[in-house]
Amino acid sequence: MATVEQPQIKHSHLAIRGLNLHVAQAGTGELGTVLFLHGFPEIWYSWRHQMLAVAAAGYRAVAPDWRGYGLSDQPPEAEEASYADLQEDLLALLDALSVPKVFLVAKDFGTMPAYDFALCNPNRTCGVMCLGIPFLHGGSSFTTLPEGFYILRWRELGRAEADFGRYDVKRVVRTIYILFSRSEIPIANKDQEIMDLADLSTPLPEWFTEEDLAVYTSLYEKSGFWYPMEMPYRSLHKRQPLEDPKFQVPVFVVMGEKDYVFKFPRIEAVLKDGTMAKFAPDLKVTYIPEGSHFVQEQFPEMVNELLLSFLKDHPVA
């Protein structure tokens, strides 16, 4: 497996609900534990900058690979993917690590189990910080977006597999990172597939190195893309909203204004019209003007500063 040497980060596997989940950890945790939850096409490594920062500040950083991702076990193919499984995995993970309360830091689809965990387990949650996705009660409707919208394409059984199967894993990860780094929503024409939206002449984002790409490639070579298509894309519409949700913990949303997700239906509105504040009385929202979908990798020092300030403002009781 390709690695970028980071001796402060330790790796192990934990038996969680019948699967061995890979967990990266750093720090001793005198001030508390911070649990980092990745999205797609990410992995524990997406949080490397934040893990080292919180560990240096006196916290314990824990970053699992979700079930079916990276170095974690694949669930049985016959088993239907569900967000409830992710939430239950988190609870079992905290119990396995003997962590009574945790700060949750999440991005992309990882924000959904993070929000739900905080709502359902306020006694186990110190606070939740989410990048790029606000709390959307009832989800986001994509009916106004065209047929070539990447989520609608990847929701089709076999469509992404056929598209990705034309290339090696490195090319697939590279293309998705490029597309998701842009400010425009990835939408293919009728005669295109999503992988056709960038080619090898398209440069990587300047903050994403060939070394980084090698790490992601090695981890997705291990896991493949079957489960990442099931979770989140083919499970989004099955997610059941919680009844009368009200956060009892502090919530912090960091939004890159160049994140293509900012253009999804309802995203900007719920942040700016007070909708999310109705569910999260202790809500803080910060915008990063040049921030992309991968703002924690693009501007690590800025995100680290925001994160450490949030942790400091809400010490573990």
Side-chain angles (χ1 to χ4, degrees):
M1 183 187 78
T3 59
V4 174
E5 201 61 39
Q6 290 169 321
Q8 308 98 311
I9 298 178
K10 308 300 180 188
H11 298 267
S12 62
H13 280 81
L14 295 176
I16 303 294
R17 303 180 60 241
L19 297 173
N20 287 315
L21 299 191
H22 169 253
V23 180
Q25 297 188 67
T28 53
E30 309 89 52
L31 298 180
T33 298
V34 185
L35 182 61
F36 293 94
L37 306 175
H38 68 79
F40 178 80
E42 297 167 299
I43 219 75
W44 75 266
Y45 181 78
S46 311
W47 297 110
R48 59 200 178 281
H49 305 298
Q50 289 68 45
M51 292 180 71
L52 296 177
V54 301
Y59 297 87
R60 179 186 189 183
V62 179
D65 290 342
W66 287 117
R67 55 172 51 212
Y69 278 79
L71 300 177
S72 290
D73 282 354
Q74 296 286 315
E77 286 204 27
E79 186 178 291
E80 188 173 8
S82 83
Y83 280 90
D85 270 328
L86 303 189
Q87 196 180 323
E88 289 168 24
D89 285 353
L90 294 183
L91 195 57
L93 179 62
L94 294 187
D95 289 344
L97 294 171
S98 301
V99 174
K101 288 187 82 170
V102 71
F103 291 97
L104 297 165
V105 181
K107 75 173 298 285
D108 194 65
F109 82 85
T111 62
M112 299 174 199
Y115 285 134
D116 287 352
F117 184 93
L119 286 165
C120 296
N121 302 279
N123 61 318
R124 303 293 298 271
T125 311
C126 303
V128 56
M129 175 179 174
C130 288
L131 310 183
I133 308 278
F135 178 69
L136 296 167
H137 186 47
S140 180
S141 171
F142 301 128
T143 55
T144 59
L145 290 165
E147 170 275 337
F149 174 48
Y150 77 97
I151 289 180
L152 297 180
R153 287 286 183 89
W154 290 352
R155 189 177 286 177
E156 293 179 37
L157 198 60
R159 182 88 182 240
E161 289 86 339
D163 185 14
F164 297 174
R166 297 180 292 156
Y167 304 107
D168 60 20
V169 170
K170 180 179 179 180
R171 173 76 178 267
V172 173
V173 174
R174 185 183 193 278
T175 300
I176 296 172
Y177 242 85
I178 288 168
L179 296 180
F180 284 11
S181 298
R182 295 173 176 170
S183 59
E184 298 302 318
I185 298 173
I187 296 172
N189 295 323
K190 286 192 174 180
D191 60 349
Q192 286 181 310
E193 295 299 329
I194 299 300
M195 288 295 106
D196 297 329
L197 296 178
D199 60 30
L200 289 175
S201 69
T202 312
L204 286 168
E206 60 184 21
W207 42 264
F208 191 74
T209 68
E210 288 290 342
E211 266 191 323
D212 296 329
L213 178 59
V215 174
Y216 282 96
T217 298
S218 70
L219 294 170
Y220 277 96
E221 282 174 342
K222 159 73 170 59
S223 67
F225 295 104
W226 167 72
Y227 191 79
M229 290 300 103
E230 294 295 313
M231 173 60 67
Y233 301 104
R234 294 169 188 159
S235 306
L236 269 174
H237 62 292
K238 304 173 192 171
R239 184 168 174 257
Q240 296 299 312
L242 299 172
E243 192 174 335
D244 192 26
K246 184 76 78 173
F247 287 94
Q248 298 175 47
V249 300
V251 178
F252 184 21
V253 177
V254 176
M255 193 78 217
E257 293 191 60
K258 297 288 179 70
D259 186 340
Y260 71 89
V261 173
F262 206 34
K263 296 178 178 174
F264 280 15
R266 294 186 64 209
I267 296 288
E268 186 172 6
V270 300
L271 288 170
K272 294 187 174 178
D273 68 6
T275 299
M276 186 171 169
K278 294 174 185 173
F279 302 109
D282 188 352
L283 173 66
K284 179 182 177 183
V285 181
T286 293
Y287 298 94
I288 297 179
E290 295 301 313
S292 73
H293 189 62
F294 304 105
V295 68
Q296 87 285 7
E297 294 181 279
Q298 179 189 12
F299 296 121
E301 291 179 4
M302 193 181 302
V303 171
N304 291 352
E305 188 177 329
L306 291 169
L307 171 56
L308 292 172
S309 176
F310 179 65
L311 298 176
K312 186 178 177 182
D313 288 347
H314 304 286
V316 179

